[in-house]
Structure formats: C-alpha cells, structure tokens
Amino acid sequence: MMRTRPLKVALLGCGVVGSEVARIMTTHAGDLAARIGAPVELAGVAVRRPAKVREGIPQELITTDAKALVSRSDIDVVVEVIGGIEPARTLITTAFEHGASVVSANKALLAEDGATLYAAAEKHGRDLYFEAAVAGAIPLIRPLRESLAGDKVNRVLGIVNGTTNFILDKMDTSGAGYSEALDEATALGYAEADPTADVEAFDAAAKAAILAAIAFHTRVRLDDVYREGMTEVTAADFASAKQMGCTIKLLAICERAADGRSVTARVHPAMIPLSHPLASVREAYNAVFVEAEAAGRLMFYGPGAGGSPTASAVLGDLVAVCRNKLAEATGPGESVYTQLPVSPMGEVVTRYHISLDVADKPGVLAQVATVFAEHGVSIDTVRQTGKDGEASLVVVTHRAPDAALSGTVAALRKLDTVRGVASIMRVEGE
C-alpha cells in the first residue's frame, strides 16, 4: 500500500544537472512514487541567482538561503549538485544533523574529505549516496559497494572523463593537434571555458580516489592519487602509438599490490593496444573495467557526463534513499576495514615508451642501452631512424618500477649524444 504523505526533497543547485533532476521529478512523479512506495515532493531549491527564470519550478520554491533549507525538520532527502568543497560540506553535514539523508554528485568533496561526510551520516543514522559523482549515468558505485561486496576487487581501469576522451579521440582519428581538438570540444560543449579540471586530470583523479576507496575498502584521498594531465600529448605521440599498434587514452588506474599489502591510484595518459576494448571507446564516452577474483573482468560503458545522464544517476540514488527512509533502514556506509597504505607512484610497475632525439653516429645506441642497464630497466624494442647527423631513437621497455624508469630518463638527459627527450609515455593494457 502506498503511503500518501510525500517524502520531501531539497535541491541544492539548479544548473545543468539540478534543473534536469527537477524536471524528471516533475514529469515522472507518478512512476517515481510507484517505485518508491510514496510520492516525492520538491520542497525547495537553493540557488545563487533567484531572479533567473527556471521553467517548471514554482518561484516560491526558490531560495538563496541553502542552510535554512537543509535545516528544515520536514526535509527527508537533500540532493546536492552545487559542487566544490564549501559550502557543500557544511550544507551536507547540516542536513544529516537535521535528519535528512543526502544524494550528492560532488566528486571533489568526496575525494577530498569523504571521511567527514561518512562519519556525519553514520552518527545521525542517515544515507550518503553518490552514484553521480563518478562516470555519470554508468552504474558503477553501487555495483562496487553492493554487487561485488562479497568479492575481492584487484583492479579498476578506465576512462572516466568524457572531455579528455573526446579530445584524444579527435587527435587520433583526424590527426588534429591538441589545441585544435580542444577548440572543437569547446565549440560542441564538451569542454568548459576553463578546461583545466579536465585536461590536467583533476576531475579524473578525484574519481580515481573514490573508486579506489570503495574497491579496496581503504581510505584514499585526492592527494594520494598520482596525477598527470594530457596537455603535452602531441600528434607525434599518436603517430608513434600507431606504429606500435596502439592509441592513447587518459586512464584512471587503481590497483591492489600483488602481495595484497598496499594499493595504488593514478591518472595519466597511456598507450594501449588497439586490441584492448578501451581503445575503441570514442567521443565523450566513458568505460571502466573492474577486475575481481570471482567475477573476473567486468566492463561498464556509457555516457559519463551531461545533464540527463548525471540526473539519471541522481534519481536512481534518490529512489534508493527514499526506499530506505520508508523501511527505516540505511544503505552501505564507508568501508575502510583493510586500512591499506597507498604506495607512491615510484613503486608502481609499468612500461615506458621513450622517444629520444640523438646524434646520428656510432655508439649512441650502446650508450643509451648502458644507461637502461645501469638502472635495472630491461629494453623490449628499439627503433632508430635518422640522417644528416640527427636521429630519433624510440625505446619501449619491459615492466619496471616507475622510479627506476624515471631515473633512467634523468640519466639519459645527461648524455652528450642525447639532444633531448621528445616524449615519454607509459604503456598499459597488456
């Protein structure tokens, strides 16, 4: 039997995502009520610019006093889509204190200080759901927190930022340079006016921190994630990748160490074989592999950003939280029982593709090979081309600790016969 008294929802933020959440709540009110077991009612919307016309939202619901809204005793669920650290953190903890559960899309806050939010939710017996914080509409958080709760996840690997994937895809398929591809992404609305958070991998790093924490049941913060942006990727890098049968993607990689005693989380551009499923992920789409002991390899694919996809994830969480409210229960909270340390990037074992500009004379290859050997890095393949006293030397290594590879590159720069290091790129996905 359906409860007639509605569950009241406060919405913080009414931008691209927030307005879509409000629209779906209105247009699909009957379906949402049937799925939840009670109607849901939009009780208030906190915004910064109250004078702006918002189609479908009664003006009397608009307020600039977000703190007063989340402090109301009649609010059952707060949906936070304003982003950033503050005032979002204070508003969420205030909502918990006044009896509301929270649905958030705030990846930056969860990665920076998720522990505070989890602790406040647990203290007051409320839910904290955040499917929309990672990979938009793609169901990823809930499978990790619930469907794979009985399994052991060893690796999460994927493309978690649509803007960077669009740019790299255009560079790959059209031969465009970085600036040209970025301009196209901006014109189509895939990139912000200031694309720094995307192209310098801050966005992907926050998502990696969240995924690693859930997958490995340990606390991983944004500062624990190695981050390398993709602004230095060139058309020449793509040409080299194609010669190897590879392409280039900005990857988020979260791994449990082979001995199970630590984890790593990193985001950086990498060459991956064209045979790898991630190589075929085009445009602004996201795709994530989860590797678990019993389940094996699972792939999650779909649109990772945008108003409608993100709102879909928010509404899915809203339904789950409202069901819990009616059942007087709560969903999963923070799980950090393993308390595994996060290893620095230097301990990560990976492969490198290194392109060197060298003097075209006898003995250069021997000098370069000696440097690799002195640092304990084994060479897989070497390709050399050159004329008129100048040459290009491309070295692909076997797997070795990142610190050893970095030391190798530093030593190569000191050789008189090495004119410069044209590019350095990790090789993944094999």
Side-chain angles (χ1 to χ4, degrees):
M1 183 177 179
M2 183 179 293
R3 192 181 86 164
T4 57
R5 184 173 69 82
L7 293 163
K8 294 192 175 183
V9 178
L11 178 61
L12 305 182
C14 199
V16 174
V17 176
S19 59
E20 189 67 7
V21 169
R23 185 192 68 79
I24 294 173
M25 285 185 63
T26 302
T27 58
H28 296 276
D31 288 336
L32 291 174
R35 294 165 191 169
I36 292 168
V40 288
E41 175 186 307
L42 190 60
V45 182
V47 299
R48 287 185 297 175
R49 296 184 293 275
K52 181 179 178 180
V53 176
R54 293 170 172 85
E55 187 177 348
I57 301 177
Q59 189 62 31
E60 61 267 23
L61 295 183
I62 301 296
T63 179
T64 57
D65 194 343
K67 187 171 182 181
L69 178 60
V70 301
S71 299
R72 283 171 46 177
S73 60
D74 64 329
I75 297 297
D76 295 291
V77 183
V78 170
V79 174
E80 183 271 310
V81 288
I82 57 177
I85 307 302
E86 288 292 355
R89 175 169 48 198
T90 297
L91 293 172
I92 290 173
T93 55
T94 300
F96 289 139
E97 291 166 4
H98 288 81
S101 289
V102 173
V103 173
S104 176
N106 197 331
K107 54 187 168 287
L109 177 56
L110 287 158
E112 180 68 30
D113 196 19
T116 294
L117 306 186
Y118 278 122
E122 183 177 4
K123 177 181 178 180
H124 298 286
R126 302 303 172 203
D127 272 325
L128 172 63
Y129 276 52
F130 47 90
E131 185 67 66
V134 179
I138 304 172
L140 189 57
I141 300 300
R142 192 171 289 115
L144 284 173
R145 289 216 291 183
E146 299 178 27
S147 303
L148 295 173
D151 208 337
K152 182 180 180 181
V153 176
N154 290 318
R155 194 173 193 234
V156 180
L157 164 73
I159 298 164
V160 296
N161 183 278
T163 300
T164 55
N165 197 59
F166 180 89
I167 293 170
L168 292 173
D169 182 43
K170 289 302 173 184
M171 292 177 70
D172 183 24
T173 57
S174 71
Y178 167 76
S179 296
E180 296 171 86
L182 173 59
D183 288 343
E184 184 175 352
T186 303
L188 292 173
Y190 291 125
E192 301 287 345
D194 179 2
T196 303
D198 293 320
V199 299
E200 294 294 354
F202 290 100
D203 174 86
K207 295 171 181 176
I210 295 169
L211 292 173
I214 297 172
F216 306 135
H217 302 279
T218 197
R219 192 163 289 160
V220 180
R221 298 179 68 249
L222 182 59
D223 289 345
D224 296 320
V225 181
Y226 172 83
R227 177 190 58 80
E228 184 181 318
M230 42 79 70
T231 58
E232 300 301 318
V233 177
T234 66
D237 291 326
F238 274 99
S240 293
K242 287 181 179 179
Q243 289 181 337
M244 290 178 57
C246 293
T247 188
I248 299 171
K249 298 292 185 182
L250 184 76
L251 299 180
I253 306 170
C254 311
E255 295 178 304
R256 189 190 300 269
D259 62 8
R261 296 180 181 178
S262 65
V263 299
T264 59
R266 51 196 167 103
V267 176
H268 54 73
M271 293 183 179
I272 58 172
L274 294 175
S275 58
H276 194 284
L278 289 178
S280 61
V281 177
R282 300 297 187 188
E283 300 285 331
Y285 277 75
N286 286 188
V288 178
F289 273 95
V290 176
E291 299 177 12
E293 285 197 355
R297 300 179 74 198
L298 308 172
M299 182 175 176
F300 300 83
Y301 171 84
S308 294
T310 305
S312 172
V314 169
L315 268 297
D317 278 351
L318 179 63
V319 169
V321 168
C322 286
R323 286 172 174 170
N324 289 346
K325 191 88 173 180
L326 293 179
E328 298 183 348
T330 55
E334 184 180 34
S335 175
V336 292
Y337 74 92
T338 63
Q339 298 184 356
L340 296 171
V342 182
S343 297
M345 185 63 187
E347 296 180 15
V348 172
V349 177
T350 185
R351 299 177 66 204
Y352 261 100
H353 174 282
I354 304 170
S355 180
L356 305 171
D357 294 327
V358 300
D360 187 15
K361 62 182 184 180
V364 173
L365 181 55
Q367 284 185 323
V368 170
T370 298
V371 170
F372 277 90
E374 289 174 346
H375 287 80
V377 178
S378 175
I379 294 175
D380 182 13
T381 62
V382 177
R383 185 176 70 254
Q384 183 173 4
T385 59
K387 61 180 180 178
D388 300 327
E390 298 296 330
S392 174
L393 192 65
V394 175
V395 179
V396 179
T397 73
H398 286 292
R399 289 169 60 82
D402 198 80
L405 289 162
S406 296
T408 302
V409 173
L412 288 171
R413 293 182 190 275
K414 296 178 181 179
L415 291 178
D416 292 338
T417 51
V418 175
R419 310 293 193 223
V421 179
S423 69
I424 306 171
M425 184 125 354
R426 294 174 182 84
V427 182
E428 300 284 350
E430 295 182 299

